Amino acid sequence: MTNALRLYMHYLSQSIRSQMQYRASFIMLSFGHFLVTGIEFLAIASLFARFKHIQGWALPEVAFLYGLINISFAFADAASRGFDIFGTMVKSGDFDRLLLRPRSTALQLAGHELTLRRIGRLVQGLIVFSWASYTLDIAWSVPKIYLVFIAIFGGACLFIGLMIIQATIAFWTTESLELMNTMTYGGVETAQYPLPIYRTYFRKFFTYIVPLACVNYLPSLAILERGDPLGFPVVLQWVAPLICIIFLIVALQIWKIGVRHYRSTGS
Amino acid sequence: MPKIANRTSSLAIKSYIAVFSARFRTLLQYRAAAFAGFGTQLFWGLLRVMIFEAFYRSSTAPQPMTVDEVVTYIWLGQAFLVLIPLRADPDVRDMVRSGNVVYELVRPANLYFFWYSRAIAQRTAPGVFRALPMFITASLFFNLQMPPNIPATCTWLVSMLFAVLISAAITNLLNISLLWTISGEGISYLVFGLTWIFSGIIIPLPFFPDWAQATINILPFRYIMDIPFRFYLGHIPPEQIWYHLPFQIAYLIALITTGHLILTRGIHRLVAQGG
Amino acid sequence: MPHIIVENLVKTFQIAQRQPGVWGALRGVMHRNYRQITALDGISFTIEPGELIGYIGPNGAGKSTTVKVLSGILVPDSGRCEILGRVPWKERIAHVAQIGVVFGQRTQLWWDLPVIESFDLLRDIYRVDHHQYAQTRDEMIAILNLESLLDIPVRQLSLGQRMRCDLAAALIHRPSILFLDEPTIGLDVVSKLAVRDFIKRLNQERDVTVILTTHDMDDIEALCTRVMVIGQGQILSDGPLENLRARVTTERRLIVDLEGTEDITDPDASVVLRDGHRVHLTFDPDRVATADLIARITAQHPVRDLFVENTPIEEIISRLYAENR
């Protein structure tokens, strides 16, 4: 375990070094990400300018949800680049190289790259989150700060798990994995708004199958001290993000099934 | 002399059509992509519709569009999502990466229109499996309404045709930007981001604040989705086509000319570097 | 005890078929046909420690499938395979720690990193002890003459330089078996010789078992003590190069440079090629002694030069395939 962690750190430091060779590209893409996600937020803000609120949630409260989910997604997105490009690796045969090394394939893919340009989204998410916290005048306490951290951590685990499942599908079809983007990018967009606005089946899907509600809506209720029209137990608001660690573990097991399939069909 | 010129140009056009149809057929083979695309668009459509419905439930203030119009607009956006120039042609990308792009220069055809034909195929082929089923599904189950009258339908179709051509011209700009390997990636992302926001796919453009409308109106991106869709809805009166059509054509010509110029410079640079 | 035991290995693949034309593409969306391909049709062999084996066959014959099974990437349908006492696909991690693999067309080095950093990463990946790592690395750098390349990012290396670095990278963990897939493909003559020389040294001085797949018959002639030929998923021939020759044909070639351009006729030899003054004859050394044939020809014709050759290996292989079709 410590050995694996050391290797992972070694991978990361080399990945950062590689990316620093393309500094111009890095700066441009980070800035691009910052800009695009920034304008997207302005689009949301302009809707609030016209409608004032969405089922009782005003812009700063939605901005809180927005910031939280975007920060966790930025981390996940940066860490899972290897899984993201995995489809092309299978196609080109480069995945075989990973199987030729005496390490788990998941570890090697995780170490493939730490995509620094995702910092654009991270910074944008942090700005929106800070603005929201400031505007809402949140009474910060140790438990609330802890909750923010595990929400971000749980969110990152959830998204990394989703990206691993998405990559696993590439063992069967390398043609397109677009559908899984609805879980990742679509999940981010879904979680930018409070859960009660959605129809029941949609809500249930993002609570019980992909536990998005656990990393964003439920903890935000506790931090913002709002009542829950959906009536989940209050204790859940404080522990829900940890459920996503289980989600990640399940995703890794599914990944193993995919690797086994690949090794018997050779795709 | 004119006769020969005529023949060569008809041969050239034939070759562009051949390129288009080859690419079109290849793209039809991506079966999983077609199914996945359908599912994805269904998801995004439902999500956006639910968000807007929730907004309309929360306020009675007058809005730039009615909720029914917004719903139709959103589904049209999903049905014709392929019009968003998401990325450069992957084959061109590979050619540039491997350096094989120099062989493209020996083709007896204009490289710009060669790639442009491919780009048009890239923007239309998925339509068979994506636009049509999405359109039918949304009109049957999700309240996508038909155009109110025949003039609206006609003006929509005309502006859609130019939307395809403009979108393909932007795609081709992305292709060309790849000739500058490092900055190409950044430019592609920025162009995609701008189109994403200013075409109307994330929110219908009339919902942007009034002070932003002037800026949005001078960008070409609204001609990819927003303008055609609002013709469809009758939200823009049909006679306005005489105002918008010249703009669409002008943008198309401008984009093609710019692409041509940049491509010439890019090739020049490539040849000067010796590949 | 043999390093590698393979018995009756079978592997089939399912291939989706596409129909031609637009209509075919449309139908392909709804329904797809599959075809079975037998890549390995019961192959068996054993390899002793220290052997240097050429594994040859046309594309699609099952070469790379064999290498994938032996290296633990692919699980076969049936058959037995034991390498250094392990079943490769059952104990992948333990197995791959003992082998090295080099693909001629692909590098295992990190594209944007200096060569030495790739070596360092591989040390951590293979958990090589630091002391042993330093020793192996320095040896490799010396033998393969890598000193001047170490700080260059891999993407800037020439193909020959990259291959040398890849060879070193594959040996960082001191594997006892080395798989080389087309190691000389696309290399210039000097690099080719350097690579061959290195493989030979590795095999002789360190007793590394080497399995070499290649299309370059000069590699085979220069290096391999034993050649396995695969065709349509079966081993068509296995043994020393001379045996392969003898099995397919005993013929030799006599190449004569004449003073003039007249025809040569001889009851025991036949002309296969004429090129100006040069005549290529084939003959069977069992029917006529080489010395007799030469004596007869030089007696009848004014000869500038002459020499005897074995049938080119390409020709032997293609005949072998023709026989097995």
Side-chain angles (χ1 to χ4, degrees):
Chain A
M1 190 65 201
T2 50
N3 190 292
L5 201 65
R6 223 191 61 204
L7 175 62
Y8 183 67
M9 295 323 263
H10 194 166
Y11 269 129
L12 293 196
S13 78
Q14 296 299 12
S15 160
I16 290 166
R17 216 180 292 196
S18 307
Q19 290 173 72
M20 281 301 117
Q21 293 177 24
Y22 304 96
R23 207 159 305 177
S25 166
F26 159 70
I27 291 170
M28 209 145 63
L29 283 169
S30 313
F31 184 69
H33 262 268
F34 178 77
L35 215 62
V36 172
T37 49
I39 301 178
E40 267 180 358
F41 182 72
L42 290 184
I44 294 175
S46 44
L47 289 179
F48 277 91
R50 292 188 188 274
F51 291 96
K52 308 301 174 218
H53 68 95
I54 190 162
Q55 282 179 225
W57 291 62
L59 181 61
E61 288 154 325
V62 166
F64 189 85
L65 294 174
Y66 178 100
L68 208 53
I69 203 71
N70 274 282
I71 292 167
S72 15
F73 185 66
F75 281 121
D77 205 15
S80 59
R81 174 75 179 160
F83 292 98
D84 195 26
I85 60 151
F86 175 71
T88 50
M89 278 181 100
V90 170
K91 238 183 200 170
S92 69
D94 286 338
F95 182 63
D96 287 349
R97 174 50 73 187
L98 303 193
L99 285 170
L100 289 172
R101 294 187 176 139
R103 291 293 189 155
S104 85
T105 48
L107 174 64
Q108 292 184 68
L109 277 172
H112 179 82
E113 182 181 299
L114 182 73
T115 316
L116 294 178
R117 58 175 183 264
R118 302 289 187 251
I119 201 164
R121 185 189 284 272
L122 180 65
V123 169
Q124 196 265 347
L126 281 169
I127 291 174
V128 172
F129 183 81
S130 314
W131 175 79
S133 317
Y134 173 79
T135 315
L136 291 168
D137 209 10
I138 294 168
W140 288 112
S141 61
V142 174
K144 280 187 181 178
I145 292 170
Y146 141 87
L147 196 50
V148 167
F149 276 99
I150 64 160
I152 290 170
F153 178 74
C157 286
L158 174 65
F159 286 122
I160 291 174
L162 285 169
M163 289 182 216
I164 291 175
I165 294 172
Q166 175 166 12
T168 309
I169 296 170
F171 283 120
W172 281 272
T173 165
T174 50
E175 284 172 358
S176 173
L177 305 160
E178 214 185 324
L179 194 58
M180 282 303 289
N181 283 349
T182 58
M183 302 295 103
T184 50
Y185 290 94
V188 172
E189 185 142 334
T190 304
Q192 286 169 5
Y193 293 94
L195 203 60
I197 72 162
Y198 299 112
R199 287 181 199 150
T200 322
Y201 68 90
F202 202 80
R203 248 175 13 220
K204 287 201 166 141
F205 180 83
F206 279 113
T207 308
Y208 299 113
I209 296 175
V210 174
L212 195 62
C214 298
V215 294
N216 168 262
Y217 175 69
L218 289 173
S220 298
L221 290 177
I223 297 167
L224 302 178
E225 297 173 22
R226 287 183 68 106
D228 180 10
L230 302 175
F232 285 107
V234 176
V235 62
L236 210 54
Q237 297 175 0
W238 294 90
V239 296
L242 298 171
I243 292 169
C244 293
I245 299 170
I246 301 170
F247 187 85
L248 178 59
I249 293 170
V250 172
L252 283 169
Q253 296 309 310
I254 296 174
W255 169 255
K256 280 186 187 160
I257 297 173
V259 175
R260 209 172 306 145
H261 170 81
Y262 176 83
R263 292 178 62 205
S264 66
T265 59
S267 295
Chain B
M1 265 318 259
K3 228 179 181 174
I4 294 169
N6 221 336
R7 240 188 91 198
T8 45
S9 78
S10 88
L11 270 179
I13 288 172
K14 248 186 206 160
S15 79
Y16 299 135
I17 292 174
V19 169
F20 168 82
S21 82
R23 185 72 187 141
F24 196 89
R25 281 201 305 265
T26 313
L27 289 168
L28 284 188
Q29 291 179 342
Y30 294 110
R31 152 177 92 146
F35 285 136
F38 182 79
T40 310
Q41 278 140 248
L42 199 63
F43 174 90
W44 284 106
L46 281 172
L47 174 62
R48 299 227 162 99
V49 165
M50 279 189 278
I51 292 169
F52 269 93
E53 285 176 348
F55 270 122
Y56 275 94
R57 275 199 303 272
S58 313
S59 165
T60 47
Q63 300 301 337
M65 296 170 106
T66 66
V67 65
D68 287 340
E69 282 174 335
V70 171
V71 169
T72 300
Y73 188 108
I74 289 172
W75 285 116
L76 287 174
Q78 292 309 317
F80 298 104
L81 188 69
V82 68
L83 289 179
I84 300 276
L86 184 61
R87 58 174 159 251
D89 190 332
D91 292 350
V92 173
R93 175 184 295 254
D94 291 345
M95 265 190 293
V96 172
R97 289 233 168 113
S98 63
N100 285 339
V101 68
V102 290
Y103 298 116
E104 290 283 284
L105 304 182
V106 302
R107 286 185 199 279
N110 180 308
L111 187 56
Y112 181 87
F113 287 106
F114 207 74
W115 285 359
Y116 189 53
S117 316
R118 288 175 60 91
I120 295 175
Q122 200 180 341
R123 297 284 148 243
T124 51
V128 177
F129 292 133
R130 295 192 173 196
L132 211 60
M134 193 70 248
F135 194 89
I136 293 168
T137 312
S139 59
L140 288 179
F141 303 107
F142 303 112
N143 208 18
L144 167 80
Q145 289 169 348
M146 289 299 126
N149 48 44
I150 293 181
T153 317
C154 295
T155 49
W156 169 60
L157 286 173
V158 170
S159 57
M160 273 302 271
L161 174 71
F162 282 93
V164 171
L165 295 176
I166 289 175
S167 167
I170 295 177
T171 310
N172 213 15
L173 275 179
L174 299 185
N175 291 343
I176 294 161
S177 76
L178 290 176
L179 292 176
W180 287 263
T181 2
I182 305 264
S183 43
E185 213 184 339
I187 289 165
S188 286
Y189 186 77
L190 269 181
V191 170
F192 157 71
L194 287 173
T195 325
W196 190 243
I197 292 155
F198 295 115
S199 62
I201 191 77
I202 51 171
I203 62 169
L205 297 186
F207 283 92
F208 274 105
D210 298 329
W211 54 263
Q213 294 295 334
T215 320
I216 292 169
N217 287 348
I218 56 163
L219 295 172
F221 307 111
R222 64 174 182 152
Y223 285 107
I224 292 177
M225 289 197 158
D226 182 71
I227 298 295
F229 293 175
R230 280 158 68 198
F231 272 123
Y232 178 104
L233 293 169
H235 193 257
I236 301 179
E239 58 272 19
Q240 287 259 351
I241 189 81
W242 305 117
Y243 169 79
H244 286 294
L245 196 58
F247 270 103
Q248 278 195 304
I249 295 171
Y251 272 125
L252 181 61
I253 293 170
L255 284 166
I256 290 177
T257 319
T258 319
H260 229 288
L261 280 174
I262 303 177
L263 181 61
T264 317
R265 284 197 53 186
I267 289 171
H268 202 79
R269 187 171 157 272
L270 205 69
V271 175
Q273 280 182 345
Chain C
M1 189 178 130
H3 259 176
I4 301 179
I5 305 169
V6 171
E7 267 172 32
N8 259 317
L9 228 42
V10 175
K11 181 76 201 169
T12 52
F13 295 113
Q14 297 238 322
I15 305 281
Q17 281 184 310
R18 284 188 166 155
Q19 289 112 335
V22 174
W23 179 236
L26 280 170
R27 272 199 319 188
V29 171
M30 299 304 156
H31 175 76
R32 219 165 250 192
N33 292 326
Y34 290 94
R35 190 161 54 101
Q36 280 235 334
I37 286 188
T38 307
L40 298 182
D41 194 5
I43 62 168
S44 309
F45 53 81
T46 54
I47 294 174
E48 298 296 329
E51 281 197 275
L52 206 169
I53 291 185
Y55 192 45
I56 53 182
N59 294 330
K63 244 180 339 181
S64 61
T65 307
T66 317
V67 173
K68 280 184 179 176
V69 171
L70 295 192
S71 54
I73 296 176
L74 205 59
V75 183
D77 298 344
S78 66
R80 188 167 89 96
C81 173
E82 229 172 74
I83 299 181
L84 302 167
R86 285 194 195 90
V87 179
W89 58 89
K90 287 201 175 133
E91 295 170 76
R92 179 182 75 80
I93 293 202
H95 170 65
V96 295
Q98 298 297 314
I99 62 168
V101 183
V102 176
F103 294 111
Q105 282 123 318
R106 281 206 290 270
T107 180
Q108 74 152 319
L109 305 166
W110 281 259
W111 203 236
D112 290 321
L113 291 182
V115 176
I116 187 76
E117 311 258 3
S118 282
F119 292 169
D120 286 349
L121 251 178
L122 286 168
R123 173 200 66 205
D124 281 357
I125 291 174
Y126 282 92
R127 300 174 225 237
V128 182
D129 155 84
H130 281 238
H131 177 71
Q132 191 204 315
Y133 165 70
Q135 198 189 337
T136 320
R137 181 196 56 198
D138 294 344
E139 277 171 27
M140 289 300 149
I141 290 170
I143 306 175
L144 285 160
N145 201 11
L146 305 179
E147 194 63 55
S148 58
L149 306 178
L150 293 177
D151 296 323
I152 304 176
V154 174
R155 62 169 192 275
Q156 290 169 12
L157 297 179
S158 76
L159 204 56
Q161 292 170 330
R162 210 174 76 195
M163 180 44 63
R164 272 150 57 204
C165 296
D166 254 308
L167 281 168
L171 294 162
I172 289 291
H173 57 291
R174 293 186 172 262
S176 36
I177 299 175
L178 185 62
F179 292 94
L180 300 169
D181 185 29
E182 301 278 0
T184 58
I185 198 163
L187 298 191
D188 60 276
V189 182
V190 179
S191 308
K192 228 179 224 185
L193 292 178
V195 166
R196 270 185 211 148
D197 195 48
F198 177 74
I199 296 171
K200 196 158 211 165
R201 262 184 88 173
L202 195 71
N203 175 253
Q204 284 171 354
E205 292 173 13
R206 289 166 194 252
D207 234 24
V208 175
T209 307
V210 180
I211 293 152
L212 170 74
T213 66
T214 183
H215 279 102
D216 187 335
M217 295 307 159
D218 293 340
D219 287 348
I220 301 280
E221 290 209 67
L223 293 172
C224 301
T225 46
R226 176 177 159 196
V227 180
M228 294 197 293
V229 185
I230 185 169
Q232 296 178 326
Q234 290 175 324
I235 302 281
L236 302 180
S237 158
D238 183 357
L241 196 51
E242 301 79 61
N243 289 13
L244 173 61
R245 276 217 170 82
R247 209 192 111 186
V248 175
T249 171
T250 51
E251 281 174 357
R252 298 265 175 91
R253 239 166 221 238
L254 176 64
I255 295 156
V256 186
D257 283 348
L258 297 172
E259 290 289 352
T261 52
E262 70 273 25
D263 284 332
I264 298 179
T265 45
D266 191 283
D268 291 323
S270 53
V271 177
V272 286
L273 191 71
R274 273 225 65 133
D275 181 16
H277 294 280
R278 179 165 284 192
V279 185
H280 295 245
L281 298 145
T282 58
F283 66 96
D284 184 348
D286 290 344
R287 268 175 60 196
V288 55
T290 314
D292 292 347
L293 183 67
I294 291 173
R296 279 210 304 259
I297 287 171
T298 44
Q300 284 167 15
H301 304 276
V303 169
R304 261 191 231 157
D305 194 5
L306 91 188
F307 46 97
V308 182
E309 264 188 358
N310 282 323
T311 314
I313 192 160
E314 286 89 343
E315 212 173 305
I316 294 180
I317 304 290
S318 70
R319 281 197 204 182
L320 192 63
Y321 289 134
E323 263 174 40
N324 283 280
R325 193 138 296 156

